[in-house]
Amino acid sequence: MSFPDKVPVMPLPGAVLFPHALLPLYIFEPRYRQMLDHALRHHRMFCVALIKPSCPDWQAPEDFFHLATVGLIRACVGRGDGTSNLILQGLRRVRFASFEQEAPFPVAKIEIIESRGHASVEAEALGAKVLELYAKLKTKGRELPRKVDRYLSDLNDVEMLADLVASTFINDPLRRQQVLEELSVNQRLRFVIQYLREESGSAAA
């Protein structure tokens, strides 16, 4: 898939989009209605960026994180009142290199970010530990949808495994952002293991 040089950005509190993950969104603010219209008329892509906790009412690009995921609008249903429901699918990690526009919504020039260290014995071992912890979560009723669960169990792509599990089971948005920003796949898996243990109350496991 080819990516545009620049995409709209939707800063949101508490929302971190990961590659391969799906994010349902309800678009109602006038500026984001304009953003959605822009995206649909161009590449059907935009980024969701996490607003920094210190800036709940963001005013400028420095108020949100600049490493994010570019997403593709998979489905969009407009409503009679001008609002829309959509599903955004995460594609690739990107960094905002600069901003061509800040209002009424940001438009950023993007750089695709590549991960490091996909295939190694250590990565496989860390991936196996993530699956082990996920199996424990399943016994507590925290299970992914059946199709995703079956797919995850057979997954050989440890990078995708880390992203999907982090997206689904790590509750703290700043922790999710840390996992998103970590470019080493092994370290990303370690973060996921640490946070799964802590958030499930099994730090000693």
Side-chain angles (χ1 to χ4, degrees), residues 75-109:
C76 182
V77 178
R79 303 164 67 92
D81 60 1
T83 63
S84 300
N85 291 94
L86 62 86
I87 299 293
L88 192 67
Q89 179 184 5
L91 298 177
R92 297 288 298 274
R93 282 171 170 78
V94 298
R95 180 176 288 114
F96 304 147
S98 61
F99 289 86
E100 290 207 343
Q101 171 181 308
E102 294 187 17
F105 55 87
V107 175
K109 286 189 174 181

Side-chain angles (χ1 to χ4, degrees), residues 90-185:
L91 298 177
R92 297 288 298 274
R93 282 171 170 78
V94 298
R95 180 176 288 114
F96 304 147
S98 61
F99 289 86
E100 290 207 343
Q101 171 181 308
E102 294 187 17
F105 55 87
V107 175
K109 286 189 174 181
I110 58 171
E111 299 173 347
I112 302 294
I113 301 299
E114 301 290 348
S115 299
R116 302 190 301 266
H118 298 75
S120 68
V121 173
E122 183 181 11
E124 290 179 8
L126 291 167
K129 186 63 180 178
V130 170
L131 286 173
E132 178 187 325
L133 290 169
Y134 170 56
K136 292 180 180 179
L137 287 172
K138 284 166 56 173
T139 64
K140 299 178 181 179
R142 297 186 64 189
E143 188 172 356
L144 288 163
R146 186 174 301 176
K147 285 184 179 180
V148 180
D149 174 68
R150 187 167 59 245
Y151 174 69
L152 199 62
S153 300
D154 298 331
L155 191 62
N156 294 318
D157 186 332
V158 290
E159 179 179 12
M160 190 183 298
L161 173 68
D163 286 345
L164 286 175
V165 172
S167 175
T168 307
F169 295 108
I170 295 177
N171 297 317
D172 186 298
L174 288 178
R175 287 182 165 187
R176 292 203 302 270
Q177 183 69 29
Q178 185 180 31
V179 173
L180 182 71
E181 293 191 2
E182 179 54 61
L183 301 187
S184 163
V185 174

Side-chain angles (χ1 to χ4, degrees), residues 53-73:
S54 58
C55 308
D57 297 316
W58 73 274
Q59 302 294 328
E62 55 266 26
D63 296 339
F64 52 83
F65 290 95
H66 287 190
L67 196 144
T69 296
V70 61
L72 177 69
I73 300 168

